[in-house]
Amino acid sequence: MLAGLPVVDLCHDIPPEDIRAGAYVLFTSWKYFPVGSVFLAVVDPGVGTTRKALAAFWNNYFFVAPDNGLLSPFMGDDFRAVEIPVPAEASPTFHARDVFAPAARRLALGESLENLGQPCLSPICCAFLSPRETGEGIRGRVILRDRFGNLITDVPAAMLEGKDFAVMAGGREIALARTYGDVEPGQALALIGSGGFLELSVRDGDAAEALSLSVGDVVEVIWKKM
Amino acid sequence: MLAGLPVVDLCHDIPPEDIRAGAYVLFTSWKYFPVGSVFLAVVDPGVGTTRKALAAFWNNYFFVAPDNGLLSPFMGDDFRAVEIPVPAEASPTFHARDVFAPAARRLALGESLENLGQPCLSPICCAFLSPRETGEGIRGRVILRDRFGNLITDVPAAMLEGKDFAVMAGGREIALARTYGDVEPGQALALIGSGGFLELSVRDGDAAEALSLSVGDVVEVIWKKM
Amino acid sequence: MLAGLPVVDLCHDIPPEDIRAGAYVLFTSWKYFPVGSVFLAVVDPGVGTTRKALAAFWNNYFFVAPDNGLLSPFMGDDFRAVEIPVPAEASPTFHARDVFAPAARRLALGESLENLGQPCLSPICCAFLSPRETGEGIRGRVILRDRFGNLITDVPAAMLEGKDFAVMAGGREIALARTYGDVEPGQALALIGSGGFLELSVRDGDAAEALSLSVGDVVEVIWKKM
């Protein structure tokens, strides 16, 4: 441990194997950390296989993660990555401990990214968010269920701004609102969540249960005729 | 993050919406922290509505919390609170991040309470604990179930000291004991818990399951005739 | 809190009462912490009874724990322990807070072990690991289920090195592999886990559910005839 270096446990609750949920948490959290922070992020169905281990730099932040799409939200112009060699003695089932954490430590101590490995020119980039314009609106999907049962979709607020629309999910229309308190207890609502995406909730309740929806299910935005 | 300022994750397990459970944890924890500590506490069914955001001072400790009764245990003579303005850009569903945390940071940096907002003269104060004297004893309620299945009631030890009594819950008498080891494995017992309240437990077991009791259920203390 | 002293929450997920699971986590974690670290470890079915409270030293690390076998993995030549007196005002149900934590603080501040209490010459030592040679192989048991559903056994890698063997569990043979990616999704495998013990897993799945196995169940290693 580096004396004086604060370590924050950002999240240990990502559902097993759910790379997209991990990407969402990184994407909605990085800006609350100081420039120069090192994010160690592991959601790793491919641990111990030939998938690469990456150290990366984007927008003055550092990231250490498997090469499986977890860093997709950051793969713009400014993004660069190197491949961290996996030492022979690393446990084939715990790269977080034996590969990623030691690399994060080196970055936190000030080593340059390039010092950690050879450039990785084509890291795996997934369609992290894939809302689709349907002509009549937007077809999105639930990408995360939080511990309260709120359902976060992949429809960003930017696609909805200034528009007049209805939200359909699970075969019914969900009332639009600004926050939970705008509807009666037990009533479902759709709102722009704190991560900047369309969310479905139930006031004082669990939307996933009440609406019988889960990760992957479709949520439709329908433009209103004028 | 403030370099050198320890941040303690006191608890992230409060049941959703359960203000009284949150108040209990604060009430039984504050004294283990050094004077001047800042408690950031959020259980917030009313997030984004007109409920106020508070910063408060009591007994040389600072608190930041919604104005919904969460700070009720501290509302004595020494308590004073200010209303933190909610900035227009705050997410209506995540005041913990956008309103309360920034206020806690300012207090931790040494800003005065009064600098954070206008005085709040009538913060909401709930009956945090409401055991009722029945003549024959005390009628209390279960206010919290911990992760082991122990059931914490709102009957404080001070009401029981020096008294001779029986405890009834779920239609049966629960044996009194000093600690788990005083009864056989699997047996139910009533004891004074570590927070200073009457608790129901099952040795090496889960009292909530074994007794079919949950939060809100009645626990009766019956004075013994002499 | 000691300013500048990092506190790491190593684990809060030990199943209630499961001393062996706690011992496993300590045994597979200590070496990743710097020499001189103080481990405060509590799995305490006997809290408040006559079981002793221990402070101990082993291999330049310090430990504070109940005298119930939790420190068994470290009870070699170099191990020494003292009995911490339990103050009369300690809660009989929360020695972690009132007995163990204050002792850990004193050790972290540099007090000598001997200063904390009288020597404990015969601390309780459990058979932490009890794999048994059967002539035809090794009979081990599942000692821990992790959050992914992987099943960790008490068969150490050292007993298997250079050997040719099959693994039987739940009435079927489990394929041997080096890591999850070596088998098809949904297939069961047996491998040497990151703690150095034989583990059963299901790729992209939950082995405990898929194999209907739980803590305590037998796992057989069968030597192959040559």
Side-chain angles (χ1 to χ4, degrees):
Chain A
M1 181 157 305
L2 311 179
L5 183 79
V7 175
V8 176
D9 180 358
L10 180 56
C11 180
H12 260 91
D13 298 327
I14 300 296
E17 328 286 324
D18 193 341
I19 294 169
R20 193 160 55 171
Y24 174 84
V25 169
L26 284 176
F27 182 62
T28 54
S29 303
W30 64 268
K31 69 176 173 179
Y32 299 101
F33 288 80
V35 160
S37 293
V38 180
F39 290 91
L40 168 56
V42 183
V43 178
D44 202 6
V47 62
T49 63
T50 56
R51 74 98 186 83
K52 297 171 186 165
L54 299 183
F57 179 88
W58 172 79
N59 193 27
N60 292 313
Y61 292 89
F62 295 93
F63 300 85
V64 180
D67 181 26
N68 61 11
L70 188 54
L71 300 181
S72 300
F74 310 108
M75 292 186 186
D77 284 350
D78 179 29
F79 183 86
R80 59 183 208 270
V82 302
E83 183 181 343
I84 310 165
V86 175
E89 68 273 18
S91 162
T93 59
F94 203 177
H95 285 185
R97 181 189 70 190
D98 297 340
V99 179
F100 299 118
R105 178 183 176 276
R106 290 171 65 183
L107 291 170
L109 281 169
E111 264 192 71
S112 77
L113 185 72
E114 283 64 28
N115 221 27
L116 268 67
Q118 295 299 313
C120 174
L121 300 178
S122 53
I124 291 173
C125 187
C126 303
F128 160 54
L129 304 171
S130 48
R132 195 157 61 81
E133 306 229 23
T134 60
E136 294 181 328
I138 303 167
R139 178 166 299 152
R141 289 184 185 275
V142 175
I143 57 169
L144 197 73
R145 172 195 171 149
D146 73 15
R147 67 177 279 254
F148 298 97
N150 299 314
L151 299 163
I152 300 161
T153 78
D154 60 355
V155 180
M159 291 181 79
L160 304 172
E161 256 160 35
K163 302 288 180 57
D164 197 14
F165 61 93
V167 173
M168 302 287 299
R172 50 181 281 200
E173 181 169 353
I174 313 291
L176 290 174
R178 190 177 145 277
T179 188
Y180 313 126
D182 295 343
V183 302
E184 296 301 308
Q187 198 187 327
L189 67 158
L191 46 66
I192 300 301
S194 61
F197 293 89
L198 185 69
E199 288 185 22
L200 308 182
S201 296
V202 164
R203 179 174 174 188
D204 304 345
D206 183 310
E209 277 188 20
L211 302 174
S212 295
L213 289 174
S214 52
V215 171
D217 285 345
V218 167
V219 176
E220 299 269 3
V221 170
I222 314 286
W223 305 132
K224 287 200 173 157
K225 311 276 191 283
M226 278 182 283
Chain B
M1 182 155 305
L2 311 179
L5 183 79
V7 176
V8 175
D9 180 359
L10 180 56
C11 179
H12 259 90
D13 298 327
I14 301 296
E17 328 285 326
D18 193 341
I19 294 169
R20 193 160 54 171
Y24 174 85
V25 169
L26 283 175
F27 182 62
T28 54
S29 302
W30 65 267
K31 68 175 172 178
Y32 300 100
F33 288 81
V35 160
S37 293
V38 180
F39 291 90
L40 167 56
V42 183
V43 178
D44 202 7
V47 62
T49 63
T50 55
R51 74 97 187 86
K52 297 172 187 165
L54 300 183
F57 179 88
W58 172 79
N59 192 27
N60 293 313
Y61 292 88
F62 295 93
F63 300 85
V64 180
D67 181 26
N68 61 11
L70 187 55
L71 300 182
S72 300
F74 310 109
M75 292 186 185
D77 284 350
D78 179 30
F79 184 86
R80 60 183 207 269
V82 302
E83 183 181 345
I84 310 164
V86 175
E89 68 274 19
S91 162
T93 60
F94 203 176
H95 285 184
R97 180 189 69 190
D98 297 340
V99 180
F100 299 117
R105 177 183 178 277
R106 290 172 65 183
L107 292 170
L109 282 168
E111 264 192 70
S112 77
L113 185 72
E114 283 64 29
N115 221 27
L116 268 67
Q118 294 299 311
C120 174
L121 300 179
S122 53
I124 291 173
C125 186
C126 303
F128 160 53
L129 304 171
S130 48
R132 194 158 61 81
E133 307 228 24
T134 60
E136 295 181 327
I138 303 167
R139 178 165 299 153
R141 289 184 185 276
V142 175
I143 58 170
L144 197 73
R145 171 195 172 149
D146 73 15
R147 67 178 281 256
F148 298 96
N150 299 314
L151 299 163
I152 300 161
T153 78
D154 60 356
V155 180
M159 291 181 80
L160 303 173
E161 255 159 35
K163 301 286 179 60
D164 197 15
F165 60 93
V167 172
M168 302 287 300
R172 51 181 280 201
E173 181 170 354
I174 313 290
L176 290 174
R178 192 177 144 275
T179 188
Y180 313 127
D182 295 342
V183 301
E184 296 300 308
Q187 198 187 327
L189 67 158
L191 46 67
I192 300 301
S194 62
F197 293 89
L198 185 69
E199 288 185 22
L200 307 182
S201 297
V202 165
R203 178 174 173 188
D204 303 346
D206 183 310
E209 279 188 19
L211 303 173
S212 294
L213 289 173
S214 52
V215 171
D217 285 345
V218 168
V219 177
E220 298 269 3
V221 170
I222 315 285
W223 306 132
K224 287 202 174 156
K225 310 275 191 282
M226 279 181 281
Chain C
M1 181 156 305
L2 310 179
L5 183 79
V7 176
V8 176
D9 180 359
L10 180 55
C11 180
H12 260 89
D13 297 328
I14 300 296
E17 326 286 324
D18 194 342
I19 294 169
R20 193 160 54 171
Y24 173 84
V25 169
L26 283 176
F27 182 62
T28 54
S29 302
W30 64 268
K31 68 176 172 178
Y32 300 101
F33 288 80
V35 160
S37 293
V38 180
F39 291 91
L40 167 56
V42 183
V43 178
D44 203 6
V47 63
T49 64
T50 55
R51 74 97 186 84
K52 298 171 185 164
L54 300 183
F57 179 87
W58 172 79
N59 192 27
N60 293 313
Y61 291 88
F62 296 93
F63 300 85
V64 180
D67 181 27
N68 61 11
L70 188 54
L71 300 182
S72 300
F74 310 109
M75 291 185 185
D77 284 349
D78 179 29
F79 183 86
R80 59 182 208 268
V82 302
E83 183 181 344
I84 310 164
V86 175
E89 68 272 20
S91 162
T93 59
F94 202 176
H95 285 183
R97 180 190 69 190
D98 296 341
V99 179
F100 299 117
R105 178 183 177 277
R106 291 172 64 184
L107 291 171
L109 281 168
E111 264 192 71
S112 77
L113 184 71
E114 283 63 29
N115 221 26
L116 268 68
Q118 294 299 313
C120 175
L121 299 179
S122 53
I124 291 173
C125 187
C126 302
F128 160 54
L129 304 171
S130 48
R132 195 158 61 83
E133 306 228 24
T134 60
E136 295 182 327
I138 303 167
R139 178 166 298 151
R141 288 184 185 277
V142 175
I143 58 170
L144 196 73
R145 172 194 171 149
D146 74 14
R147 66 178 279 255
F148 298 97
N150 299 313
L151 299 164
I152 299 162
T153 78
D154 60 356
V155 180
M159 290 181 79
L160 303 173
E161 255 160 35
K163 301 287 179 58
D164 197 14
F165 60 93
V167 173
M168 302 287 299
R172 50 180 281 200
E173 182 170 353
I174 313 291
L176 291 174
R178 192 178 145 275
T179 189
Y180 313 125
D182 294 343
V183 302
E184 296 300 309
Q187 198 188 326
L189 67 157
L191 46 65
I192 300 301
S194 60
F197 293 89
L198 185 69
E199 288 186 22
L200 308 181
S201 297
V202 164
R203 179 174 173 187
D204 303 346
D206 183 309
E209 278 188 21
L211 303 174
S212 295
L213 289 174
S214 53
V215 171
D217 285 344
V218 168
V219 177
E220 298 268 4
V221 170
I222 314 286
W223 305 133
K224 287 200 174 157
K225 311 276 191 281
M226 278 182 283

